[in-house]
Amino acid sequence: MLCTTFDQTHGEYGAIWEAHILRLVIRLLCLQHDLSHTRNPCLLSLSFQIVQIGAKVMLISGLFVSSGCTILFGLLDRVPEGGTFITLCFIIRSVDALGFSAAMTSSFAISAKVFPNNIATVLGSLEIFTGLGLILGPPIGGWLYQSFGYEVPFMALGCFLFLMVPFNIYILPSFAADPTKDSFFRLFTRLKIVLICFAIFTLSSGLGFLDATLSIYAIDKFDLSPGYVGLLLLGLSLPYCLASPLLGIVSDRFPSTRPWLMVLGGLSTATGFWFLGPVPILQIQSQLWLLVFMLGVIGFSLSMIAIPTFPEILNCAYENGFEEGLSTLGLVSGLFGAVWSIGMFCGPTLGGFTTQQLSFEWAASVQGGLAFLAVSMAIYLSYYTHFNTVSPASTLMTLRMGNSNYCAKLLALTSTTSC
């Protein structure tokens, strides 16, 4: 993202402050609400209330609250500095977290409710707009901030969100649902769901890490201007935007490919982060073309992980006795959003600390190691579960016959073994 319009040095606190403000503006325009520590309990609690409140009412209320808080946040530059400013920042962002959590939880549940047989396709199509936000956010946010100041970007985004309220009131139907006795604790008793949640965590933490550190690294390492840094991030967002709908179609038409997509996506993500720096032990000189290429690899591989995860968790829940309805959709969407938020919190925090103590190269290597760990755990547990549920005679016969489909069967186990 655009880091600053000034020549930034470590001693120029004014320029650094302006850079932080500009980054915050751009993140909001990209709809990258970094409210993780507040959103986690909100997402979990609201998923239980989606039946009582109603998915449509929850979505509309969330949009209304989030739009109002975004506008108010743009007015905070008029507040006296000190304790009052900090307190109001926390209060407004916390209330915004509640509204955003309500909109996020209900939107995922509504999408899965309306399109039960094409969940991955719908989510992949929605990720087009996430990619567009990442692509258009930096230039639009930077232009609004430089041309009109701090307040206008927040006002523009807040008003746009507010316009979505009457639009959704008119367009969306009402959804009836019965309460459920199921809980998140029951979801977490399934090993497959735990592994998928860890994969979601590695995905969001990687994005959060890049958001917090990549722009500063690119400016310091390659002496790029803020405009070129914005173009550099197209290498990450453009492949993600283009690949998501295609992978969604593949995931829905060929459900057996979902484990393959997540495993290959995890391996590609690990490789991309290891060569992003690259890892210092490889003794490869960092070059701009290699950085751009690895960003493209990471963007494409992250879409391979993100798209199949939601329908896989949902299918595993249904196969283990969860009721098919809006209540279960709310549980799954709340779980997805909560794990995503934890990653978006840990990625910038731990990644920024590692970058400060060691270097960007080592911090990126840690992110690659997390992705590789998720893949290794999935393969090991699939291997372990398979050989503890299949008879020794059939296993020996499979090995002797050299079944070419054995690896695929090992990764795409039935629900009785993998879940």
Side-chain angles (χ1 to χ4, degrees):
M1 310 227 168
L2 296 180
C3 183
T4 180
T5 55
F6 305 92
D7 293 331
Q8 181 176 341
T9 63
H10 295 291
E12 294 174 332
Y13 295 105
I16 294 175
W17 172 247
E18 293 290 337
H20 286 310
I21 292 178
L22 181 54
R23 174 173 293 179
L24 178 60
V25 172
I26 296 170
R27 284 179 60 83
L28 279 174
L29 285 172
C30 294
L31 298 181
Q32 296 287 321
H33 292 258
D34 211 1
L35 310 168
S36 307
H37 58 287
T38 308
R39 277 171 49 192
N40 292 333
C42 292
L43 285 163
L44 295 177
S45 60
L46 286 171
S47 62
F48 287 107
Q49 304 298 325
I50 192 170
V51 176
Q52 287 76 14
I53 299 176
K56 180 178 179 179
V57 175
M58 182 179 289
L59 175 62
I60 294 171
S61 302
L63 290 174
F64 179 79
V65 172
S66 185
S67 64
C69 290
T70 302
I71 294 175
L72 290 176
F73 202 82
L75 300 175
L76 286 179
D77 60 333
R78 304 184 182 184
V79 177
E81 61 182 11
T84 304
F85 175 81
I86 296 175
T87 302
L88 287 177
C89 284
F90 274 103
I91 292 175
I92 293 176
R93 292 295 278 174
S94 298
V95 177
D96 190 13
L98 180 64
F100 184 78
S101 300
M104 181 178 179
T105 303
S106 56
S107 62
F108 273 74
I110 290 174
S111 300
K113 178 70 174 179
V114 176
F115 305 97
N117 299 322
N118 300 284
I119 298 176
T121 302
V122 173
L123 294 180
S125 301
L126 292 176
E127 290 305 305
I128 294 177
F129 298 96
T130 301
L132 288 176
L134 293 171
I135 293 172
L136 299 177
I140 294 178
W143 177 75
L144 288 175
Y145 175 76
Q146 293 175 9
S147 301
F148 304 102
Y150 171 80
E151 297 180 358
V152 173
F154 293 95
M155 297 293 180
L157 180 60
C159 292
F160 180 78
L161 286 175
F162 184 77
L163 291 177
M164 294 297 102
V165 174
F167 178 78
N168 283 279
I169 291 176
Y170 178 76
I171 293 295
L172 287 181
S174 299
F175 300 93
D178 298 324
T180 181
K181 297 181 181 179
D182 296 315
S183 64
F184 288 105
F185 299 103
R186 187 182 171 195
L187 280 176
F188 271 108
T189 60
R190 306 294 96 190
L191 283 177
K192 182 177 181 180
I193 292 179
V194 174
L195 287 175
I196 294 176
C197 287
F198 186 65
I200 297 171
F201 170 81
T202 60
L203 164 66
S204 59
S205 64
L207 289 174
F209 163 75
L210 292 175
D211 182 53
T213 60
L214 180 62
S215 58
I216 299 176
Y217 170 76
I219 291 176
D220 293 341
K221 188 71 173 180
F222 303 106
D223 195 25
L224 297 179
S225 65
Y228 282 107
V229 173
L231 292 177
L232 179 67
L233 290 171
L234 288 177
L236 176 68
S237 54
L238 191 59
Y240 183 86
C241 176
L242 297 177
S244 293
L246 299 177
L247 292 172
I249 295 174
V250 172
S251 179
D252 277 333
R253 292 188 177 181
F254 308 100
S256 60
T257 62
R258 291 172 185 169
W260 279 108
L261 289 176
M262 287 187 285
V263 168
L264 293 177
L267 292 175
S268 300
T269 301
T271 304
F273 274 109
W274 286 337
F275 284 90
L276 189 65
V279 184
I281 60 176
L282 298 178
Q283 296 183 352
I284 300 176
Q285 185 178 1
S286 179
Q287 301 183 48
L288 183 59
W289 71 266
L290 181 61
L291 178 68
V292 175
F293 180 72
M294 288 299 110
L295 284 176
V297 171
I298 293 173
F300 182 79
S301 57
L302 289 181
S303 64
M304 295 176 68
I305 302 175
I307 301 305
T309 51
F310 189 88
E312 276 294 287
I313 295 177
L314 192 59
N315 287 342
C316 189
Y318 287 155
E319 291 167 355
N320 283 272
F322 282 73
E323 300 176 359
E324 296 190 17
L326 191 61
S327 55
T328 301
L329 294 175
L331 286 176
V332 174
S333 62
L335 176 64
F336 183 93
V339 175
W340 180 277
S341 298
I342 294 174
M344 288 298 293
F345 173 76
C346 294
T349 304
L350 299 180
F353 176 79
T354 307
T355 301
Q356 184 178 13
Q357 297 299 320
L358 299 175
S359 64
F360 174 85
E361 291 83 356
W362 281 114
S365 302
V366 172
Q367 291 295 328
L370 287 176
F372 185 77
L373 177 62
V375 174
S376 301
M377 291 174 59
I379 295 177
Y380 172 77
L381 287 177
S382 298
Y383 176 89
Y384 177 82
T385 306
H386 179 82
F387 281 97
N388 280 273
T389 54
V390 179
S391 64
S394 62
T395 300
L396 182 60
M397 182 62 68
T398 300
L399 293 174
R400 286 178 175 176
M401 293 176 62
N403 191 344
S404 61
N405 294 325
Y406 174 70
C407 291
K409 292 179 180 179
L410 189 63
L411 293 172
L413 296 173
T414 60
S415 59
T416 57
T417 59
S418 61
C419 292

